[in-house]
Amino acid sequence: MKKRYIILSVLLMILVIISGIFIYQKKQKIITIGIYSDSSWDVPNDNEYKFIDYVVKKFEKENPNVKVKYESGINKNDYLEWLSQKIVDNKAPDVFIVPSEQFGFLSSLGTMRNLNYFMDLSGLNTDDYYPTNLKAGMSAGKQYALPLESNPMMMCVNTDLLKKEHITIPKSGWTLNDFYRICRQVTKDTNHDGVVDQFGYADYSWKDAAQAYNAKLFNSQGTASYFNSDKVRQALTMMEKLYNLQKDYKVTADDFDKGKVAFLPMTLAQYRTYESYPYRVSRYSSFSWTCIRMPGATPDINSTYVNTSMVAMSSQSTHPLLSWKLVKFLSNNGDVQQKLFTYSQGASVLKSVMKSKDITENLQKENNADNALTEEKFASIMAKSQKYPEFKNYNNVMQTADYLINNALENGNVEVQLSNIQNQIQEELANS
C-alpha cells in the first residue's frame, strides 16, 4: 500500500511539472529590445523603424507566444546614456543593439552575456560571417555580441580626373607608394594662374596611414601604447610626405564633391547614401567615380578598418533562451539580413546575403552601372579588413592622439614630438 502511494505521489508530481511546463509554454512571454531610431553610421536615414518593425512582426509570427517590445524615440547620441540608466536600474532590455564604438565600454561593465554556450547549443555556423565582423563582438576570446551590420572604409576615386591625367585606375592590391605617386602627379595648377587647384586627396588621415602599415597603436587591454614604434614612425613619415603635397591648402570633402580631388576615404554607408537619389543630385553628379580597397604599405596588409554594429543579450535577461533566439534571428537569418540591407546604408554581415543576386542588383540600381560596388569588390575589401581596437577609454585616448599628431604634422616636427606624444598617451591610459 505504501509503495503504491509513493508511485502515485511521484506520478502526480510529474503531472504537475508537465502541466506547469505546458502552461508556461502557452503563456505569452515578453522580450524587450533596446534600439535607436537613426542610422548607426551618421548618414541620413528615412526608414527609422521599418527594419525593427519587420523583425518584430516576423519573429512574433514564428514564435506565437512571444511579444517583442521596444522603446521608440531614442537617438543614437542619447542611446548609451539611456541604456546605461536601464542597466543601473536593473531594467536592461533582454536584447540590445551595440554601436561599434561602444562595445569596449559596454563589455567592460559586464552588461553582455557570454554567447559561446548558446552558439554551441544552436549549432551556429561562424563561417556564415565575414571574420572581421564576427571578431568585433569578441573580448578575451569570448563572443559577447553577434554582428548585425557592417560598414567598411573604402577609397573613393574620381575616375574622370585620373583618366584626364592619363593615369590607370588603381585596382585592389595597390600600395601606399602608388597612392603617394598618383597624389603627387595630380596635384597641380591646372589653369596656370599660380594657385594649385587640383589635389590628390582629402580626409586621408594619419590613422589611415598607420593602418596601411598595420601599425599597432595599443595593446588589447588598453594599458600600453606604441606610438614610438618603427611602424608608426614609418606611417607618419609617409603622412608627412602626403601632407606636404598640399599643406598650404585646406582640402576637404567639398573639393572632392566639386571634382577637384582624386581620392577620398569614404565608408560604405556614405557611398550608398550619396550615390542614391535624392542625395546624388547635390553630390558627385558631375563626374564618374568608384570605390576600391584602401591602400596598404604592401598588398598583403589588412588596410581596411570596418565598423560593425552588433546585437547582444543582457546579462540581466530572465529569458535567456528566447533572448538568444532573437539575437540569432537578427544576426543570422538571411531574410532579416536582406531586409536590413534594404532599409539601412551598411552591408549585411552574412556572406551569402552579400553574394546574392538581389543584393548585386540593388547595388547596381543605387549606383552608376560602370562604377557600381560589385560583390567581387566588396569581398576584396572585406578580405583585407580588420576591426577597430576596443577598450573602455579608446575613443577618448584617440581624440587626444589625433589632436597631438595633427598639431605635429602642421608644425612639421612629428619626428621630434613623437616621443613626447607617446608619453602623453601612456599617461592618459594609466589615469583612465
Side-chain angles (χ1 to χ4, degrees):
M1 186 73 179
K2 186 176 181 181
K3 185 176 181 181
R4 182 182 297 176
Y5 176 78
I6 293 172
I7 293 173
L8 287 173
S9 298
V10 171
L11 289 174
L12 182 60
M13 187 178 297
I14 292 173
L15 183 61
V16 169
I17 292 172
I18 292 174
S19 299
I21 293 173
F22 180 78
I23 292 171
Y24 175 78
Q25 288 177 336
K26 288 295 182 181
K27 183 180 179 181
Q28 189 180 70
K29 303 168 195 67
I30 296 175
I31 300 293
T32 54
I33 181 168
I35 194 166
Y36 40 86
S37 60
D38 42 348
S39 169
S40 292
W41 319 121
D42 300 322
V43 294
N45 178 19
D46 297 329
N47 293 313
E48 292 190 343
Y49 295 107
K50 288 183 180 178
F51 169 67
I52 193 61
D53 287 341
Y54 167 83
V55 169
V56 168
K57 184 177 180 180
K58 184 175 176 65
F59 187 79
E60 289 179 347
K61 184 176 181 180
E62 295 184 13
N63 300 271
N65 298 315
V66 178
K67 185 74 175 175
V68 180
K69 293 185 176 182
Y70 66 87
E71 189 174 325
S72 61
I74 304 165
N75 294 322
K76 184 169 177 278
N77 289 338
D78 302 323
Y79 178 72
L80 183 61
E81 181 180 352
W82 173 85
L83 183 59
S84 299
Q85 190 59 53
K86 289 288 187 181
I87 292 167
V88 169
D89 295 340
N90 202 32
K91 296 179 180 178
D94 296 286
V95 173
F96 55 86
I97 305 303
V98 182
S100 177
E101 65 273 17
Q102 301 299 346
F103 176 79
F105 174 76
L106 290 171
S107 62
S108 72
L109 300 180
T111 59
M112 296 178 281
R113 190 173 297 217
N114 181 358
L115 299 179
N116 289 87
Y117 166 77
F118 299 94
M119 292 166 66
D120 292 340
L121 185 69
S122 65
L124 182 74
N125 185 1
T126 55
D127 289 337
D128 291 345
Y129 299 100
Y130 295 100
T132 302
N133 295 144
L134 194 64
K135 289 176 183 176
M138 295 183 70
S139 179
K142 298 176 181 178
Q143 196 80 40
Y144 286 98
L146 288 186
L148 178 65
E149 187 181 5
S150 175
N151 190 27
M153 181 67 75
M154 309 180 294
M155 183 65 81
C156 290
V157 185
N158 182 331
T159 55
D160 283 353
L161 189 154
L162 294 194
K163 287 175 183 177
K164 182 189 73 173
E165 296 293 341
H166 307 290
I167 299 172
T168 303
I169 309 302
K171 298 185 181 300
S172 292
W174 66 317
T175 66
L176 203 54
N177 285 330
D178 297 326
F179 178 57
Y180 174 75
R181 173 181 52 79
I182 297 172
C183 287
R184 184 178 59 185
Q185 189 173 341
V186 303
T187 302
K188 60 175 63 174
D189 171 14
T190 61
N191 59 8
H192 310 293
D193 65 352
V195 178
V196 175
D197 54 17
Q198 181 174 280
F199 306 96
Y201 72 93
D203 292 352
Y204 187 84
S205 73
W206 68 269
K207 289 172 283 190
D208 297 317
Q211 179 60 28
Y213 279 91
N214 201 22
K216 189 175 182 180
L217 301 179
F218 308 97
N219 66 357
S220 58
Q221 296 80 26
T223 57
S225 57
Y226 311 111
F227 283 81
N228 213 8
S229 67
D230 288 341
K231 284 188 176 181
V232 173
R233 286 184 176 276
Q234 285 179 296
L236 295 181
T237 297
M238 174 58 79
M239 197 64 222
E240 277 189 311
K241 290 172 61 179
L242 286 162
Y243 184 85
N244 288 333
L245 288 177
Q246 50 197 49
K247 66 178 180 180
D248 296 325
Y249 303 90
K250 186 67 175 177
V251 186
T252 69
D254 288 339
D255 294 304
F256 185 85
D257 300 353
K258 297 171 185 174
K260 296 162 59 176
V261 180
F263 299 112
L264 176 74
M266 180 182 288
T267 66
L268 174 67
Q270 291 171 320
Y271 171 82
R272 290 190 63 202
T273 299
Y274 295 118
E275 258 290 9
S276 60
Y277 183 84
Y279 305 105
R280 184 192 296 161
V281 173
S282 59
R283 301 186 67 148
Y284 318 145
S285 58
S286 61
F287 60 91
S288 296
W289 62 296
T290 191
C291 286
I292 57 176
R293 199 171 81 202
M294 295 288 283
T298 59
D300 59 314
I301 287 178
N302 293 346
S303 55
T304 297
Y305 266 132
V306 177
N307 267 314
T308 306
S309 66
M310 290 154 277
V311 57
M313 184 202 311
S314 170
S315 55
Q316 298 176 1
S317 176
T318 56
H319 300 290
L321 291 177
L322 277 176
S323 296
W324 161 250
K325 198 170 185 180
L326 181 56
V327 168
K328 184 182 177 185
F329 189 74
L330 281 158
S331 174
N332 199 248
N333 183 285
D335 292 338
V336 168
Q337 280 286 308
Q338 187 117 14
K339 192 64 70 172
L340 177 65
F341 183 91
T342 302
Y343 284 144
S344 68
Q345 303 88 353
S348 169
V349 295
L350 296 179
K351 298 175 188 175
S352 60
V353 172
M354 291 307 296
K355 291 177 181 178
S356 68
K357 182 180 177 182
D358 287 344
I359 296 298
T360 302
E361 290 177 350
N362 194 318
L363 285 170
Q364 289 176 342
K365 287 177 183 177
E366 286 182 352
N367 308 301
N368 297 322
D370 293 340
N371 299 321
L373 179 65
T374 63
E375 185 278 321
E376 290 79 10
K377 285 184 182 180
F378 183 80
S380 170
I381 289 167
M382 293 301 295
K384 293 297 180 181
S385 65
Q386 64 176 274
K387 67 175 185 175
Y388 280 93
E390 296 152 350
F391 53 85
K392 184 177 180 180
N393 204 33
Y394 173 76
N395 296 324
N396 292 334
V397 174
M398 281 302 289
Q399 285 180 3
T400 301
D402 203 37
Y403 172 79
L404 295 172
I405 290 176
N406 283 329
N407 267 356
L409 285 169
E410 289 179 11
N411 295 327
N413 61 355
V414 171
E415 184 67 27
V416 174
Q417 289 293 322
L418 202 51
S419 180
N420 182 48
I421 290 171
Q422 163 65 19
N423 291 337
Q424 289 188 61
I425 296 300
Q426 190 59 47
E427 183 177 352
E428 183 167 344
L429 287 174
N431 294 329
S432 62

